[in-house]
Amino acid sequence: MKEAKIINDPVFGFIKIPRGLLYGIVEHPLFQRLNRINQLGLASVVYPGARHTRFQHSLGAFHLMSEAIISLQQKGIFIFDTEAEAVQAAILMHDIGHGPFSHVLEDTLIHGISHEEISLMMMEEINEHFNGQLNLAISIFKGDYPKNFLHQLISSQLDMDRLDYLRRDSFYTGVTEGNIGSARIIKMLNVVNDTLVVDQKGIYSLENYLTTRRLMYWQVYLHRTCVAYEKVLVNMLTRAKDLIKAGQDVFASPSLHYFLSNDVDAQWFSKHLEALRNYEELDDSDIWSAMKVWKHHEDKILSTLATDMLDRRIFKVEVHEDPISEERIEGLHLKIAQQLGIPVEDAHYLMNVSTISKDMYNVEDDSIAILYKNGEIRDISEASELLNVQLLSKKIRKYYLCYQRFE
């Protein structure tokens, strides 16, 4: 048995990381970068405690994966030691390709390429560092490995990623209703026909898990103030990008300047090796430090947005049940232009109209199989007496109108 490194985690207590490959991943510079990226982006604007990092989340997901492997092995599910180490390595690295401020920048600084795809590029790079020791981990992560249930532990309705972030985000935000029974769900996991299922006894924990996830989305992840603050960030970066394109001088660290100066998409990544190098240098601090300089920029729009970000002057936000009318949008454009003394065609930088929709349960995507004692398997939607699947499957759509405050 390899000696383990012990980390004290406020959510799960002591987390043991075996020395060797797994601890080598934790020590790798690309993993350490996750210390400089907040898990919840700008949610601390509403929940000041929500300053935990992707690094902490990745370690938590690793801990839950270790627990899940032990629990499944105790039920007679055969998992080789090499498979166990590989699936632990994969969950450690599952978020390694995240950029600054969570998902916000995926359509601002880069387009048409997801953080999962970038994670895979970084995994390949780390794999080279470890002379191919991560081949199996990458195969499981991609879903290419014959044992499908191992991939499901990384990416599915009951993956260790979700089980950790719901518990962790609940802990750090103080939203106690989000505290799911992750330990019980893991104990109830089983495998039938190479597919993850949950023993019948775990059904109440699953009902709590599904309702909790809905609550956390609307109360934390899609909180109106968090959404409005994110729009300020996106508009600020878009303005900086447009100014650079127009030939203006805009301060930024070399890595941030690279993404502000180029239209980076999947094709760009494949043709420019330096794109990944620059991405790996990016973290939250690049953007915060740029804002402090932009606050004093001669461009009134950029300086206003940077000041909004730094001084917590969040866009005013209205949530509507129906789409926002063109007349209302045009009226706001005029008002913003007059108040700030800018051309009407530039007023859009100081407002945002977006549609946010979320369904808590999608029968196709969210299927969770319940295993009965007689061997019968039924979907949670049929098995649950409490969950009204028709109600939960109803897609909630809200129309957000965010705009600059002048009071």
Side-chain angles (χ1 to χ4, degrees), residues 69 81 122 126 172 181 221-222 233 237 252 289 334 343 363 375 404:
I69 290 164
D81 288 347
M122 290 193 187
I126 298 171
Y172 281 100
Y221 310 131
L222 298 175
L233 173 64
L237 289 166
S289 58
L334 278 171
V363 180
Q404 180 70 28

Side-chain angles (χ1 to χ4, degrees), residues 156-169:
S156 70
Q157 285 311 302
L158 289 172
D159 60 39
M160 300 305 109
D161 172 27
R162 290 183 196 207
L163 292 185
D164 178 80
Y165 77 62
L166 286 172
R167 273 288 298 276
R168 191 165 300 277
D169 296 348

Side-chain angles (χ1 to χ4, degrees), residues 198-387:
V198 178
D199 291 335
Q200 183 188 356
K201 286 186 292 184
I203 196 162
Y204 299 122
S205 297
L206 283 181
E207 288 167 341
N208 176 47
Y209 164 72
L210 287 171
T211 47
T212 292
R213 208 169 77 199
R214 182 192 186 102
L215 180 143
M216 285 294 285
Y217 266 95
W218 289 114
Q219 199 168 327
V220 178
Y221 310 131
L222 298 175
H223 189 288
R224 56 193 289 162
T225 307
C226 297
V227 170
Y229 200 32
E230 285 177 358
K231 299 307 180 191
V232 180
L233 173 64
V234 168
N235 287 13
M236 180 189 70
L237 289 166
T238 304
R239 181 61 175 177
K241 206 172 167 69
D242 291 346
L243 288 174
I244 288 174
K245 203 177 283 182
Q248 287 208 42
D249 185 38
V250 176
F251 169 86
S253 67
S255 52
L256 178 57
H257 203 280
Y258 181 86
F259 288 94
L260 292 173
S261 310
N262 299 296
D263 288 321
V264 179
D265 57 13
Q267 198 176 9
W268 183 282
F269 259 99
S270 65
K271 289 181 178 175
H272 297 81
L273 292 176
E274 80 282 357
L276 187 59
R277 298 286 87 75
N278 280 291
Y279 188 90
E280 290 168 353
E281 292 288 327
L282 269 184
D283 56 49
D284 291 2
S285 61
D286 290 87
I287 294 169
W288 284 116
S289 58
M291 282 179 217
K292 288 160 74 177
V293 180
W294 295 349
K295 183 177 180 178
H296 307 287
H297 198 280
E298 60 186 20
D299 180 75
K300 198 176 280 188
I301 295 169
L302 184 62
S303 64
T304 299
L305 292 167
T307 304
D308 287 349
M309 285 297 301
L310 290 164
D311 297 350
R312 200 185 180 276
R313 286 201 330 226
I314 301 151
F315 279 176
K316 192 172 176 61
V317 58
E318 298 173 8
V319 182
H320 296 265
E321 300 298 317
D322 301 305
I324 318 297
S325 71
E326 284 299 321
E327 292 78 20
R328 181 78 203 284
I329 293 167
E330 284 171 18
L332 268 175
H333 278 160
L334 278 171
K335 186 181 176 186
I336 289 166
Q338 287 165 358
Q339 291 272 10
L340 210 60
I342 59 170
V344 175
E345 58 268 24
D346 287 341
H348 66 91
Y349 289 107
L350 292 139
M351 65 176 293
N352 178 273
V353 182
S354 53
T355 307
I356 295 177
S357 59
K358 187 77 192 165
D359 48 3
M360 187 207 132
Y361 186 88
N362 183 312
V363 180
E364 276 97 48
D365 297 337
D366 292 351
S367 179
I368 297 173
I370 305 297
L371 176 65
Y372 286 79
K373 285 180 182 173
N374 64 2
E376 183 190 354
I377 292 175
R378 290 165 70 186
D379 187 79
I380 180 84
S381 58
E382 299 168 30
S384 172
E385 296 166 7
L386 292 179
L387 292 177

Side-chain angles (χ1 to χ4, degrees), residues 40-236:
L40 283 185
L42 294 166
S44 60
V45 74
V46 178
Y47 301 102
R51 296 188 177 272
H52 53 302
T53 63
R54 294 264 163 205
F55 180 89
Q56 292 166 283
H57 160 61
S58 299
L59 290 180
F62 162 82
H63 168 73
L64 293 180
M65 183 66 81
S66 307
E67 298 286 301
I69 290 164
I70 292 167
S71 180
L72 290 172
Q73 285 175 331
Q74 287 171 344
K75 290 184 179 179
I77 310 301
F78 199 76
I79 302 170
F80 289 106
D81 288 347
T82 50
E83 291 171 333
E85 185 180 61
V87 78
Q88 286 172 309
I91 198 69
L92 264 181
M93 297 184 293
H94 79 283
D95 263 357
I96 209 154
H98 260 289
F101 296 101
S102 195
H103 298 271
V104 177
L105 303 188
E106 278 185 37
D107 287 319
T108 312
L109 294 182
I110 56 173
H111 299 273
I113 183 166
S114 67
H115 74 270
E116 288 91 353
E117 292 169 280
I118 297 172
S119 288
L120 203 49
M121 291 181 204
M122 290 193 187
M123 282 184 201
E124 299 284 4
E125 188 181 329
I126 298 171
N127 194 25
E128 280 183 41
H129 177 87
F130 287 112
N131 300 314
Q133 290 182 71
L134 296 174
N135 287 342
L136 181 55
I138 291 169
S139 176
I140 292 170
F141 179 82
K142 289 161 73 174
D144 293 342
Y145 191 64
K147 288 187 179 177
N148 180 55
F149 76 88
L150 292 175
H151 173 71
Q152 287 182 303
L153 288 168
I154 300 165
S155 181
S156 70
Q157 285 311 302
L158 289 172
D159 60 39
M160 300 305 109
D161 172 27
R162 290 183 196 207
L163 292 185
D164 178 80
Y165 77 62
L166 286 172
R167 273 288 298 276
R168 191 165 300 277
D169 296 348
S170 162
F171 177 88
Y172 281 100
T173 55
V175 179
T176 51
E177 300 94 327
N179 192 1
I180 57 162
S182 55
R184 174 139 180 99
I185 290 173
I186 285 171
K187 285 274 183 273
M188 295 297 117
L189 288 178
N190 213 326
V191 177
V192 174
N193 298 328
D194 194 29
T195 301
L196 271 187
V197 297
V198 178
D199 291 335
Q200 183 188 356
K201 286 186 292 184
I203 196 162
Y204 299 122
S205 297
L206 283 181
E207 288 167 341
N208 176 47
Y209 164 72
L210 287 171
T211 47
T212 292
R213 208 169 77 199
R214 182 192 186 102
L215 180 143
M216 285 294 285
Y217 266 95
W218 289 114
Q219 199 168 327
V220 178
Y221 310 131
L222 298 175
H223 189 288
R224 56 193 289 162
T225 307
C226 297
V227 170
Y229 200 32
E230 285 177 358
K231 299 307 180 191
V232 180
L233 173 64
V234 168
N235 287 13
M236 180 189 70

